[in-house]
Amino acid sequence: MSVNENGEFRPLIVAFCCNWCSYAGADLAGSSRLSYPADVKIIRVPCSGRVNPMFILRAFERGADGVIICGCHPGDCHYSTGNYYARRRMTLLFSMLDYIGVENGRTRVEWCSAAEGAKFSKTMNEFCEKIASLGKNVRLGDLRCKD
Amino acid sequence: MQGLIDRLTALLNDGTVARVLGWKKGDMPYNPEPAIFNSAEELKDFVYDGFCGANLSKMMIEATKLEGKTAVCLKPCDTYSFNQLIREHRVNRDNAYIIGVGCRGKLDIEKIKKDAKGITEISGTELDGQEKVTIKTIYGDKEINYTDALLGRCHVCKGKEHMIADETWGESKDTADQERFEEVQKLEAMTAEERFEFFKNELSKCIRCNACRNVCPACSCRKCVFDNTKFDAQQKANVDSFEEKMFHIIRAFHVAGRCTDCGECSRVCPEGIPLHLFNRKFIKDIDKYYGEFQAGKDPEAQSPLTDFTFEDIEPGERG
Ligand code: SF4
Ligand code: SF4
Ligand code: SF4
């Protein structure tokens, strides 16, 4: 989280993007001069299936206000099936987060191909707005990680 | 119980097995502990009564590495864990001789202690014992219905059939009288605010003793993430920190799809935290989204988290 010079809340968003589709999608968004908020910090992973639930919880602990996981469309995974496993894991994790009473809306999964620069930029804009409206992440943070 | 001891003695004497994994008398009348018996002589301390809740299947990981067969006494619920360990290639089935022991539910000493302090002796808890348990205390005798002192897990028992056994011993009694997912459903029906308070309250009691992990048959990784000093799970953080919940979510997640709902974690927690509420939530979700699945029922079955279909629902969607 940060606060800009106007005292306005700016969320910190962590985006786990798979190397083969979504990261390339983000690249395309850039080279097509489509904008997405600077609040989004991209972490490149080999595959959405690489995203351990702990990565997500850790990101929150260390101050992220929202976490989004982007991977190839089902059926298009570079490793054939990684995103299918990710889909099951994230379904269960998000449901668990909701169950223990932390806001479910702070997490999201989006499938985005290397050709979908526009979708990438739109998704990030939407997600940032959503998180900005939810406000600062309090429940998922760890006091020991505060600066 | 004598019948069981006789049978175990015979197995040891005729060389079918080299040792027996069972329970031996503890220092109190209500805390028998898992033990290895190497000879018929040693079996004099063997016990199988209402307090033998401990699931011995995890100990078979090490026991089946030893020379010769190990006989192990498994209750119906323990056999699910054993099957799951076979599935994960953690036990050597060929080195195990499984005696499926009957069960009429296991007792929760905390429930008994509520109105019986200073216990010196407890009788009537054997498999063929009475409907009422007699408790001798330094303040006089007490009686309690066996069924009123059952462990929570026995009220939602998966059934008295052994999923795997070389032979069985003893008559079981049905104990299931509650809905398995009732507690989870109740929580789901609350508001997010109420759920958050509920879990905060429960988890703030955790002293991070790791007993839940150590007892869990599904937690058998040689290197556990919680032993990593960088995980900072050894030291508990403040109650308003997410770290409180992190440990439990991650542990439940690591056993998701493999947890047989054996109930050991909730049984051993010294703080009485209802840990099954995490595991059962995952089981309920798995049943709902990916089809009913009972870990340990079939040692060949594919775990739902190492499987997928093209039509799986998207994360965040409520089916
Ligand atoms: S869950 Fe069932 S089999 Fe296991 S101890 Fe309880 S009553 Fe016995
Ligand atoms: S057994 Fe209970 S107190 Fe110990 S670490 Fe597990 S939840 Fe915490
Ligand atoms: S998580 Fe608890 S109920 Fe599940 S297998 Fe482990 S000890 Fe048994």
Side-chain angles (χ1 to χ4, degrees):
Chain A
M1 182 207 73
S2 64
V3 176
N4 70 9
E5 60 273 22
N6 307 326
E8 197 186 320
F9 164 69
R10 294 303 326 164
L12 173 64
I13 311 274
V14 174
F16 290 100
C17 294
C18 88
N19 187 33
W20 306 100
C21 289
S22 311
Y23 193 79
D27 233 7
L28 181 64
S31 51
S32 321
R33 299 185 172 266
L34 296 166
S35 72
Y36 63 86
D39 309 322
V40 178
K41 311 288 183 237
I42 296 181
I43 298 179
R44 180 163 61 161
V45 285
C47 173
S48 52
R50 175 67 185 92
V51 180
N52 183 327
M54 202 132 86
F55 294 179
I56 299 166
L57 302 184
R58 271 279 187 261
F60 280 124
E61 269 199 330
R62 304 211 166 149
D65 300 301
V67 176
I68 179 164
I69 296 104
C70 301
C72 312
H73 282 272
D76 291 346
C77 175
H78 183 76
Y79 307 100
S80 306
T81 54
N83 52 1
Y84 288 115
Y85 297 117
R87 185 158 71 175
R88 285 205 166 182
R89 281 179 213 146
M90 296 312 143
T91 301
L92 292 187
L93 180 72
F94 294 0
S95 171
M96 177 56 81
L97 287 177
D98 180 45
Y99 179 65
I100 65 162
V102 297
E103 305 96 327
N104 193 39
R106 291 188 186 276
T107 46
R108 177 163 168 185
V109 168
E110 201 60 58
W111 311 120
C112 181
S113 81
E116 293 176 317
K119 180 179 180 188
F120 185 88
S121 134
K122 182 169 160 269
T123 304
M124 291 305 158
N125 279 305
E126 260 175 37
F127 191 58
C128 278
E129 253 169 55
K130 169 89 196 268
I131 301 300
S133 71
L134 284 175
K136 191 170 164 294
N137 153 32
V138 180
R139 293 188 166 171
L140 288 154
D142 189 326
L143 293 172
R144 297 170 303 174
C145 302
K146 290 276 141 55
D147 38 40
Chain B
M1 191 169 80
Q2 195 51 44
L4 181 56
I5 296 179
D6 291 345
R7 180 61 192 138
L8 292 170
T9 308
L11 285 171
L12 277 169
N13 286 345
D14 69 14
T16 312
V17 301
R19 68 197 68 76
V20 170
L21 176 56
W23 304 268
K24 74 169 188 197
K25 289 189 192 88
D27 48 1
M28 294 301 236
Y30 47 79
N31 62 353
E33 55 196 56
I36 292 266
F37 303 87
N38 288 301
S39 66
E41 227 302 86
E42 289 174 22
L43 280 174
K44 67 177 192 316
D45 290 329
F46 180 95
V47 55
Y48 179 60
D49 62 18
F51 293 105
C52 294
N55 179 346
L56 304 177
S57 38
K58 187 178 188 179
M59 287 155 220
M60 287 300 276
I61 296 174
E62 291 306 316
T64 54
K65 286 182 191 155
L66 302 172
E67 186 79 21
K69 281 197 183 209
T70 303
V72 61
C73 301
L74 298 180
K75 300 184 293 297
C77 53
D78 306 343
T79 57
Y80 287 84
S81 312
F82 195 84
N83 262 351
Q84 186 60 28
L85 288 166
I86 296 179
R87 176 78 184 87
E88 292 163 17
H89 309 286
R90 304 292 277 126
V91 291
N92 177 357
R93 170 68 181 102
D94 298 336
N95 264 353
Y97 190 90
I98 301 164
I99 304 189
V101 291
C103 182
R104 61 166 174 140
K106 295 294 162 221
L107 300 168
D108 183 350
I109 185 61
E110 299 307 325
K111 286 187 184 161
I112 295 177
K113 275 183 177 168
K114 264 200 193 112
D115 42 29
K117 303 273 183 284
I119 299 172
T120 55
E121 217 182 296
I122 300 181
S123 56
T125 72
E126 298 82 18
L127 190 57
D128 52 2
Q130 294 79 34
E131 291 294 320
K132 284 199 189 294
V133 179
T134 314
I135 305 145
K136 285 205 165 75
T137 78
I138 49 176
Y139 308 109
D141 292 0
K142 291 248 153 94
E143 258 193 359
I144 179 167
N145 284 333
Y146 193 92
T147 47
D148 288 343
L150 289 184
L151 286 167
R153 74 173 191 224
C154 299
H155 289 290
V156 295
C157 181
K158 292 185 285 290
K160 295 299 186 291
E161 193 191 333
H162 294 92
M163 293 296 116
I164 185 168
D166 293 306
E167 62 179 85
T168 57
W169 177 86
E171 290 288 323
S172 293
K173 261 189 217 133
D174 199 16
T175 53
D177 53 6
Q178 281 167 21
E179 247 322 298
R180 184 168 169 204
F181 296 111
E182 201 179 291
E183 288 169 279
V184 176
Q185 274 159 349
K186 252 188 216 148
L187 274 163
E188 285 172 342
M190 293 181 185
T191 65
E193 216 52 50
E194 289 166 338
R195 286 198 297 266
F196 186 77
E197 281 311 311
F198 173 84
F199 281 111
K200 184 169 150 183
N201 186 28
E202 288 294 342
L203 298 182
S204 63
K205 298 183 219 154
C206 174
I207 52 170
R208 206 64 98 240
C209 66
N210 273 342
C212 49
R213 177 204 59 176
N214 293 353
V215 80
C216 174
C219 282
S220 58
C221 302
R222 289 204 194 149
K223 276 206 165 159
C224 172
V225 63
F226 302 123
D227 289 334
N228 181 344
T229 49
K230 295 215 173 72
F231 189 88
D232 51 58
Q234 289 94 338
Q235 274 178 314
K236 221 175 88 95
N238 290 351
V239 56
D240 45 1
S241 235
F242 184 67
E243 195 277 333
E244 274 269 287
K245 291 129 208 142
M246 176 98 163
F247 173 85
H248 299 277
I249 296 178
I250 293 295
R251 204 188 82 77
F253 201 94
H254 282 189
V255 299
R258 308 188 298 116
C259 163
T260 62
D261 203 2
C262 73
E264 281 291 86
C265 45
S266 297
R267 180 181 71 87
V268 299
C269 177
E271 296 296 317
I273 301 172
L275 293 163
H276 57 272
L277 293 178
F278 286 91
N279 306 310
R280 261 183 222 158
K281 168 66 179 165
F282 277 137
I283 295 174
K284 185 168 176 284
D285 279 355
I286 287 172
D287 282 357
K288 178 165 151 203
Y289 300 137
Y290 310 124
E292 273 193 29
F293 179 79
Q294 172 58 56
K297 194 164 185 179
D298 169 9
E300 310 283 315
Q302 184 79 7
S303 156
L305 278 181
T306 57
D307 201 4
F308 63 85
T309 67
F310 299 130
E311 296 79 29
D312 284 345
I313 69 157
E314 293 295 330
E317 262 175 38
R318 285 292 112 81

